[in-house]
Structure formats: C-alpha cells, structure tokens
Amino acid sequence: ATRVDLFSQDMIHELEKLQDNAPVLPYSEVEPLIEKALGAPPAKVFRYVNELPLASASMAQVHEAMTKKGERVVLKVRKPGVKPTIEADLRLMHSIARLLAIQSVELRRYQPEEMVREFDRSLKRELDFTIEAKNAERIAKNLRKFKWLKIPKIYWQWTSETLNVQEFVQGISAKDPDALDKAGLDREVLALRGSQVAWKCMLEDGLFHADPHPGNFYALPGNGIAMLDFGMVGKLSYQRREQMIRLVRSIIFQETDAAAAVLVEWSNSDNVDVEALARECGELIEQYYGLPLNEIDIPQILLDCMALMRNYDLVLPSDITLAAKAFITLEGFGRLIKPDFNLMTAAEPLIKDL
C-alpha cells in the first residue's frame, strides 16, 4: 500500500483496508497473548480490559483498559501466528524477486531483490512494538514546541515486543469532517497544523510518520491534534533532505543541470545518459516557470521524477519513495478535512529558511 510508484490508486485503496479494517479476533484468543506479554493475568494488572476491540489491523488488535490508578490506556497486542506467517511470506517474496530479476528485463529495472530486502527490514522492525514505542517518544521530543500536538505516553513497565501499552486519547477522527464541524473545530487550522508537523518531521528532523492517513490522526478540543501509530516511520538523512531542497531550488531558478544531478544521485547508477536526462528535466521544470514557492507541488514533482526515472530504467531510493507516499497520503488527508487544502502553505517558510 505504500508503493505509489508501482501500483494503481485502486489497488492501493484495497491494500490500505488491511491497515485498520482487518478481521477481529475474539478476546478469548487475545487474552492469553496479553497475559504472556505481561507475565500475569490482565485482571491482576489492570482494573478492567474491554473485550470489544477499538480497532483491528493486519498485525495487531487494540483494546481499551484502565490501570489500577484509574488511568485509561490502550493495549496494542500482536496477533497470534503473525510472525511465522510474515517470515514465510518474506521467504516466498525473496524467491519470487530473484526469479523476476533473472527472467524479466522489464521488471529487473525496479530492482525487485532490493525492494524485497527493504520491505523485509521495514516489516521485521514493525513486528517489534518496542521500536514503535521508541519512535513515538523520539518524534514527540522533536515536536515538543507544538503545544497543541498530543502523542500518547508510553507505559514502558508493560510494553514489550508483542504488546504496546499507551495512553488512551479521546478525540474526533479526521475521517469525519461533519463531526469536526459539530464540535466547532476549525478545519483550516487543523489541516495547516497537520502539514506543519509533517514538514518539520521530513525536512528538519529527518524522522517522519510514514503513514499519515486520517485514521492515525484525531482532532482535540481547541484545534489540537493527536498523532497515533508509529509502526511505520521514514527516515531522511541530512543528505537526502539537502537533495530535496536542491531539487526545489533548481525548479524555482530553472536550473536544469542541477535538477538532473539530483536524479542521478538518487539513481545510484553509473549507466545514465546525463545529457538526455537533463533535457527531459528541462521539460519537466519548465511547467513550474514563474510560480511562487507555495504553488510548487512537491508531491507531484516526486511523482513526475518517478515517471522520468522509469524512462531511464532508474529507480527512486526507498526512503524518497516512502516520503512521496507520505506526502500524497497527507495531501489527501488535508483535502478530506478542507477541500482547497494546499500542502505547500505550511512548507514555504521552512523551505525558505533551509
């Protein structure tokens, strides 16, 4: 569902259903898993656990609970059999990728073996809920200047590889614009704040929420925002962030060779017809001639770059691809809240500073 460069929007839409609309397991199957992770029956640790789940995704199921001190928490527990199933699937995918690379020149240009290796690394990290918890705390620290932002507190005394216990957050799902209006919230402010968070994470901190779909954001009183689920994060090194800024700068100043140079760096290939690539880059960036910064659409630029690089049998690096996916998801989320939302509005001052 994250590979916007490979699959159609219809297919991605179907795959995204696995993120928070998977079959629910009965609590009788989930309780032993919670007990094993806690080292004690849930009834001895918590005042109560709600047997009806709040959500169920492909990898985990979430239940509300209350601590003995009266604090509301959520228990995100890994589903039974998920790890061996994923490991078996990955072995199969590695085998298929090797066959594709050997037998298909057309598919070889997508570097299927490297793609599966990256997917393998990402998925195995996502299986360990302590990594998700650390991601949440690190991003919360990076974003502490935004007083209106809420990232749930982690309860480390109960959190482990298979169980993530975190603060319960009551809010209005960003999936429900009508409810936002009824609560008297300002949708324009919410959309702007969401994009401020995303841009700071990507361009300043280099650690970002890689799946900013509406189900992972709640609106809070006073136009606050709660950000949830850090199982999938992306990382952009200083070099990658500098390359993105150079690409934007080259488009603003119509510097064709500079734009082509960034794509060559991203391709990590010695077999590039740089002159031909520069000519096509010139055609790409001409359409942005004279536009102010807030009208330069970075998500669309990255999609155009993907198409251009495919013409030269080149592939965007996985971290840039993940950032492109996050941009596109975020823009869709923003327009759900406010139809005329412009993702670049919040980016302009930060990009100018950089």
Side-chain angles (χ1 to χ4, degrees):
T2 67
R3 294 307 303 248
V4 294
D5 56 327
L6 296 181
F7 300 118
S8 68
Q9 283 300 318
D10 288 344
M11 188 175 288
I12 285 171
H13 177 70
E14 289 300 316
L15 292 170
E16 283 178 337
K17 292 178 181 178
L18 290 170
Q19 293 168 341
D20 57 8
N21 194 25
V24 171
L25 293 177
Y27 185 69
S28 58
E29 292 184 33
V30 173
E31 185 177 24
L33 304 172
I34 298 174
E35 180 172 343
K36 183 178 180 182
L38 292 172
K44 285 195 173 182
V45 178
F46 300 104
R47 188 177 296 179
Y48 76 84
V49 177
N50 191 336
E51 296 187 6
L52 293 175
L54 293 170
S56 180
S58 54
M59 196 177 290
Q61 190 158 299
V62 178
H63 290 261
E64 183 189 353
M66 182 173 284
T67 69
K68 298 291 187 180
K69 294 181 179 179
E71 299 166 309
R72 295 175 76 188
V73 296
V74 293
L75 313 181
K76 179 178 178 180
V77 58
R78 196 168 74 191
K79 287 183 172 179
V82 163
K83 189 173 183 179
T85 299
I86 285 176
E87 288 172 345
D89 286 348
L90 286 170
R91 286 194 296 272
L92 182 60
M93 290 175 73
H94 281 292
S95 299
I96 292 171
R98 281 193 295 272
L99 286 172
L100 292 176
I102 292 168
Q103 296 185 7
S104 172
V105 174
E106 175 67 21
L107 293 174
R108 191 181 305 154
R109 68 182 185 171
Y110 289 109
Q111 301 177 347
E113 291 178 282
E114 175 55 33
M115 190 188 303
V116 173
R117 278 195 292 271
E118 179 63 30
F119 186 61
D120 188 322
R121 286 192 292 269
S122 173
L123 208 53
K124 284 178 178 174
R125 287 176 65 83
E126 205 171 338
L127 277 170
D128 186 345
F129 290 171
T130 62
I131 294 176
E132 176 186 347
K134 289 173 184 174
N135 288 337
E137 289 197 335
R138 185 175 167 191
I139 289 177
K141 184 178 179 181
N142 289 343
L143 299 175
R144 61 188 179 276
K145 75 173 187 178
F146 296 129
K147 303 306 180 185
W148 39 261
L149 180 69
K150 177 73 173 177
I151 293 177
K153 168 189 169 185
I154 303 296
Y155 288 79
W156 281 106
Q157 65 269 42
W158 300 310
T159 292
S160 64
E161 181 183 340
T162 59
L163 181 68
N164 183 350
V165 181
Q166 56 187 280
E167 178 184 4
F168 178 91
V169 176
Q170 184 78 51
I172 299 172
S173 172
K175 291 181 178 180
D176 192 350
D178 291 339
L180 299 177
D181 291 339
K182 288 178 183 176
L185 299 175
D186 188 323
R187 286 202 256 162
E188 185 169 2
V189 170
L190 290 170
L192 181 64
R193 286 179 169 181
S195 60
Q196 281 179 320
V197 166
W199 283 114
K200 184 181 185 305
C201 287
M202 285 190 189
L203 295 181
E204 197 170 284
D205 305 328
L207 181 70
F208 62 92
H209 196 306
D211 194 22
H213 64 77
N216 285 336
F217 287 81
Y218 284 169
L220 305 176
N223 296 313
I225 293 176
M227 192 158 56
L228 313 173
D229 192 354
F230 297 88
M232 186 187 296
V233 300
K235 295 180 181 178
L236 291 173
S237 65
Y238 177 81
Q239 180 186 24
R240 285 281 189 258
R241 286 175 271 154
E242 187 265 343
Q243 288 167 339
M244 286 181 66
I245 295 299
R246 270 200 288 137
L247 182 63
V248 172
R249 186 185 185 281
S250 67
I251 288 170
I252 292 170
F253 292 103
Q254 299 287 293
E255 296 170 346
T256 299
D257 290 343
V262 172
L263 299 192
V264 171
E265 289 173 28
W266 280 349
S267 72
N268 194 28
S269 172
D270 296 325
N271 298 316
V272 184
D273 186 340
V274 178
E275 288 187 11
L277 182 62
R279 281 196 300 273
E280 291 208 38
C281 273
E283 294 175 9
L284 189 157
I285 68 177
E286 273 179 14
Q287 61 188 303
Y288 296 100
Y289 178 75
L291 289 181
L293 180 56
N294 66 1
E295 291 183 26
I296 292 179
D297 187 340
I298 288 182
Q300 186 58 50
I301 288 170
L302 292 176
L303 286 175
D304 290 342
C305 287
M306 287 179 191
L308 180 57
M309 292 177 77
R310 277 199 294 269
N311 291 339
Y312 288 83
D313 292 339
L314 305 174
V315 181
L316 276 179
S318 57
D319 50 359
I320 294 292
T321 302
L322 195 58
K325 155 66 179 173
F327 278 132
I328 292 160
T329 306
L330 183 71
E331 193 158 46
F333 158 44
R335 286 180 179 165
L336 174 68
I337 297 176
K338 186 165 176 56
D340 60 351
F341 169 71
N342 180 359
L343 182 61
M344 291 301 298
T345 301
E348 185 176 9
L350 180 58
I351 290 175
K352 283 182 175 176
D353 286 345
L354 293 168

